[in-house]
Amino acid sequence: MFLHTPRVAIVHEWLEHFAGSERVVEQLLLLYPQAELFAVMDFLPKEERKFLNGKKVNTSFVQKLPFSRKFFRHYLGLMPLAVEQWDFTGFDIIISSHHAVAKGVITGPDQLHVCYVHSPMRYAWDMQTTYLRQSGLQSGLKSLYLRWLLHRLRNVDVRTASGVDVFIANSNYIARRIRKVWRRHATTIYPPVDVENFALSTNPRKDYIVVSRMVPYKRVDLIVSAFCRIPDRNLIVVGAGTEYDKIAALAGSAPNIKLAGRLPQEEMVRAIQGARAFVFAAEEDFGIAMVEAQACGTPVIAYGRGGALDIVNTSKDKPTGVLFDEQTPEAIIEAIHEFERQESLITTHNCCENALKFSATAFRTHIKAIVEKSYDQLFSDNATLEI
């Protein structure tokens, strides 16, 4: 236990929109309201700043570089240097929210550095080839430069892992990634999901639904292609993005597929509450949308990789959905048939109960426990931390 109120710093990569990683920062600030907040840059629009409660954000020199508001990702190569320039003298605990460079802050032997990892840099590690291909950068001078930059970032990424005392992963999948690229153990604490705003509904359920940004890796195209082949099942597609026209062309004039576009929050929740099952074909580090569906009492049919393995319970005891092994329309169709065979066993109550372990309250409880335990160990006779 703390003998005095610890001075806490929270480090985040960049503040651009209020999304998944910002929800983690929101809960950390609720847990440590006295903490100081650091970010490489802060371009949050006014209407999305409520979760900061007026707190000042300490930014880096990248904030002031030319055109940084629009092109700040072009400065990725400078960001490891930027986070090393902050002075954390006088802080007891530093908590970094990491998916790129945040864990690279410099701390001393009497400071506890806890790193909550959304993911190691996917585009610098096992997803490099996919990233270059999707960006059309498989050859040429720009491709050569990016390959060199990603090589540098990998070296920095491995080096800065040694400055972290305790790693926390947002899923068991990310814990395995951490072990692979940094050779470090990580404790899994699921990210906070606003399950309270996705209430259980007992209304009749009829159609299948997918809610997703329409970008390539989400694989909404596979789901639409699958339902084109089973015209006696209806699919509602909610979302927008760069793939929208492609998805619309795939759906064509199929009467069983409805493209609803981007819906207001309340309408989206009602659509999920009225769905027979939520279909998800992406490989995600976690997958908040699946938890939101479960909170509504909606079963999930998902690709069985990544965070879906943590979220969807497929055991005989209180099952909440079905997983499929391949990202193909055929595998999705078979999973739908399997779900319909098991549908009587997958209850709305089980789905809703399953979602509670991903609540914001559960997140804060687990984070508080691991920080206090780690801080005690840091100053014990045995100074080796292995949480």
Side-chain angles (χ1 to χ4, degrees), residues 294 298-300 311-315 318-322 346 350-351 354:
Q294 298 268 269
T298 304
V300 172
I311 295 169
V312 183
N313 181 8
T314 59
S315 67
K318 297 184 177 181
T320 66
V322 171
I346 304 173
N350 288 347
C351 294
N354 181 50

Side-chain angles (χ1 to χ4, degrees), residues 46-231:
K46 184 178 180 180
E47 63 273 14
E48 297 183 28
R49 303 185 71 85
K50 184 179 178 181
F51 77 101
L52 296 177
N53 291 317
K55 186 175 289 292
K56 175 189 174 184
V57 180
N58 300 285
T59 56
S60 74
F61 67 80
V62 178
Q63 176 92 13
K64 299 178 181 179
L65 293 177
F67 310 109
S68 60
R69 173 63 186 91
K70 188 174 182 180
F71 300 111
F72 69 85
R73 288 178 176 82
H74 288 66
Y75 292 121
L76 182 62
L78 292 175
M79 292 184 191
L81 174 65
V83 301
E84 292 175 347
Q85 306 313 305
W86 285 316
D87 181 7
F88 291 103
T89 302
F91 287 96
D92 301 294
I93 299 169
I94 293 87
I95 304 175
S96 55
S97 167
H98 175 90
H99 62 76
V101 299
K103 79 177 193 307
V105 296
I106 297 174
T107 59
D110 293 330
Q111 295 173 309
L112 175 68
H113 182 182
V114 176
C115 181
Y116 188 88
V117 183
H118 307 281
S119 178
M121 285 186 285
R122 289 171 293 182
Y123 43 85
W125 290 100
D126 53 308
M127 297 294 289
Q128 174 182 286
T129 302
T130 301
Y131 166 75
L132 292 171
R133 182 176 65 251
Q134 290 180 349
S135 302
L137 295 169
Q138 294 171 281
S139 61
L141 287 176
K142 191 173 182 180
S143 174
L144 182 62
Y145 165 73
L146 279 174
R147 292 172 190 273
W148 170 82
L149 175 61
L150 294 174
H151 170 72
R152 283 189 64 244
L153 289 172
R154 279 192 292 274
N155 290 339
V156 171
D157 201 34
V158 172
R159 177 183 61 77
T160 55
S162 63
V164 176
D165 297 302
V166 178
F167 277 109
I168 302 173
N170 73 350
S171 68
N172 290 319
Y173 174 65
I174 293 303
R176 292 194 297 274
R177 276 174 157 262
I178 289 170
R179 186 165 59 247
K180 179 72 174 182
V181 301
W182 299 331
R183 299 299 178 186
R184 294 287 302 276
H185 169 78
T187 299
T188 296
I189 297 179
Y190 300 124
V193 181
D194 187 14
V195 295
E196 291 81 6
N197 284 327
F198 290 82
L200 173 65
S201 172
T202 57
N203 293 334
R205 295 167 179 268
K206 180 182 178 182
D207 302 330
Y208 291 87
I209 191 170
V210 52
V211 179
S212 174
R213 286 183 296 118
M214 293 192 186
V215 293
Y217 88 95
K218 292 289 189 177
R219 303 316 312 266
V220 178
D221 58 320
L222 298 179
I223 301 172
V224 169
S225 295
F227 277 84
C228 283
R229 303 182 192 182
I230 45 175

